Amino acid sequence: MNKRLNSEKSGSFPRFGRRRSKRELETGSFKLKGLKPKVCGKNQNPVELFWKPDLNHDQILEKVVQFIEKLASGQDKSKAPEIPNFVESFLKMVESRIATYEQSEASAKLGFNKEYTSFFEAVSCLSKIVNTLDEFPFDSATTSCFNRAGSVHHRAMLLSEYQFLALLDISKRNCNVTVDSKTPKTPKQSFFNSNQETDRCVKPEYDSGTGIVFPYFPPQSVANMNQVALAMISAGYEEECFIVYSGLRLKALDFEFSNQGYENVNMEDFQSMDWESLEGEIDNWIHIVKYCTTNLFSVERKLCNSVFPEHSLIAQKLFCDLATSLTIRLLNFPNAIVLIKQYSAEKLFKFLDIYETLRDLTSSLGSELSALDLISETSETQRRVGEAAVTIFCQLENSIKSDNERIPVASGAVHPLTRYTMNYLKYACEYKDTLELVFQQHYETEGSTRRKVQKQESTNAIEDNDRIPKTSHFSVKLMMVMDLLDAKIEMKSKFYRDPALRYIFLMNNGRYILQKIKGSTDIDEIMGPSWSGKRTSDLREYHKNYQRETWRKVLQCLNHEGLQTNGKVSKAILKGRFKNFNTLFDEIHKTQSIWMVSDEQLKSELRVSISAIVIPAYRSFLGRFKSHFDSGKKAEKYIKYQPEDIEGLIDKLFEGNMTSMARRRHNN
């Protein structure tokens, strides 16, 4: 008998009915079969077509609750329970309300909050009736009640699914938000309140750039979602509930991506883009990722927790699934970027921007177990971008090594390679912390052989000064770049035939490098005071060498010794001295006035040092031997300059007068 009853029970009513396909649940494209109400006549209230109870809703519901409590607490479960008449009244009442709500989409005038709550209280009781009766033996009355309650309950769940869709589908809502012309504006009203007021988005999240509000739900709608979700989960319809929620939230998030101006770009598009266009795409990508990390994810997590507050693990899983879908879409962009092998040093900074954005994205995903795979995937993409950044930075070394231009820079000015390298390092050190992390990860993933090579490179680069410790991989790499630049500038200085101009070139470049380093706290800290002290000492040595190469012969002309013959000053020798001085000084002035010293302080130091050794010597020589010349034009032939004239001409050295240079070349 029990087997027959169990067979009858299970065969007469499929407890959860036909499951909806994932596509139906995500799109809301299914029809509520079996729920189509009768057609109303003219001026006829649709509720009158259905059964009307003798007791009111609250009275019936109270009796049903008492009946369920009695069955659950003290009823003998060895025999079938007696089913009171009010249970049938309750089932008819719920069935009538389902039909009424179906018909009410265009006409019913129901109070939203109260009606909504009471309906799901009744649905909860339905679920309890089915579950409680399932614990008892079945007779004909129990079987009939069980099957009838299950059938009504199933219809209520179908209605709940459709209501959940209506609540979640933002394309069918009418929120007061600023959206573009593509935004659907036709509202989809709830089964449970066809005359509900237009949703007003409370506590909106604004994007300062577009003014778009997200996620478009007022608090009351969120509370209603919670009631529907709770009823569906309690009734065993959690799969349908989750598919509907995930599908429509993902649709909403895609819609928000579109509102933010983000579009997918495939690898073929990347290959055909110039770098300027690609930079714009990178900026757009960074914008949407930052929008996700600072706004979208936190709002979506809050919405999940609000719709499923009684099921925190479910809320966490749903959020992680949504975040995974969006994040994988976002990761496609940097994963495609790193496949572009035509790297140049200038692209480093955009790659570092991407790296930092991915780091923030990883942090925003949280630390839940359900997010570990996603965090791992994001970290792996971040690592690939970091490897690309290391490769790009190493292009700087290659560009220095491959600069084999043998034509010296005109006027001994700062070499373009020096300017490029130092400005590059200055900007790179604005990402110092990120580059430290990138290089650390790079060498951690290298094999032991590579680490040994790096250790040797560190030893060679650091030598005996007080630079950053060997474990600072980026610092070691930066110092290697500086050593390469120093060696390259030293090599290029040898292309100058004039030794004095060679030292001007070395001073110009050395001073430029030193000023750039002192102007960047990060580089200065990396290189250390000993490095700066050694470069300052080198500059002083270049200065001394310049003076020796340029002014040694000039000062020899002003030497008091060797002028006398037989105890008297020889006019012939004296005239030769003045003549040689004039010739040498004129040549130096003509040549070195077009040499370039761009650093004003260095230029001033050079002029002051030249004046300090030349003018006193000339003044002394002139004062002592001027009297040996007769006054007049004959004396002016040899004494061409007064000390003041010499000082004025020295102050015109190193101006880099290109007009004078061009005139000189033309005359030659």
Side-chain angles (χ1 to χ4, degrees), residues 556-565 567-571 573-575 577-578 617-631 635 638-639:
Q556 287 176 352
C557 296
L558 302 177
N559 194 337
H560 291 197
E561 297 179 359
L563 292 174
Q564 293 184 353
T565 303
K568 293 183 178 181
V569 174
S570 172
K571 286 188 176 182
I573 297 175
L574 185 61
K575 289 177 181 179
R577 291 282 187 90
F578 272 105
Y618 184 75
R619 182 178 283 113
S620 174
F621 190 83
L622 181 64
R624 182 172 179 179
F625 299 109
K626 181 180 180 180
S627 60
H628 293 277
F629 292 95
D630 297 330
S631 60
Y638 299 101
I639 304 175

Side-chain angles (χ1 to χ4, degrees), residues 370-389:
S370 53
L372 291 182
D373 289 343
L374 179 58
I375 293 172
S376 176
E377 180 72 20
T378 306
S379 298
E380 176 60 21
T381 300
Q382 184 182 349
R383 186 196 64 78
R384 293 192 195 106
V385 174
E387 286 296 309

Side-chain angles (χ1 to χ4, degrees), residues 393 425 428-429 431-432 435-436 439-440 443 471-479 526:
F393 188 86
L425 293 178
C429 280
Y431 296 86
K432 177 187 172 185
L435 282 168
E436 287 285 5
F439 275 91
Q440 179 182 341
Y443 285 110
T471 53
S472 182
H473 300 292
F474 169 64
S475 301
V476 171
K477 184 63 68 174
L478 187 145
M479 288 185 284
I526 291 173

Side-chain angles (χ1 to χ4, degrees), residues 351-361 430-431 434:
F351 274 78
L352 293 176
D353 288 338
I354 294 173
Y355 184 91
E356 292 180 346
T357 303
L358 288 170
R359 179 192 60 200
D360 296 339
L361 176 60
E430 292 179 4
Y431 296 86
T434 300

Side-chain angles (χ1 to χ4, degrees), residues 396-412:
L396 180 62
E397 295 180 64
N398 297 334
S399 66
I400 296 173
K401 292 176 182 178
S402 62
D403 189 332
N404 296 318
E405 178 62 55
R406 300 180 65 86
I407 300 176
V409 176
S411 306

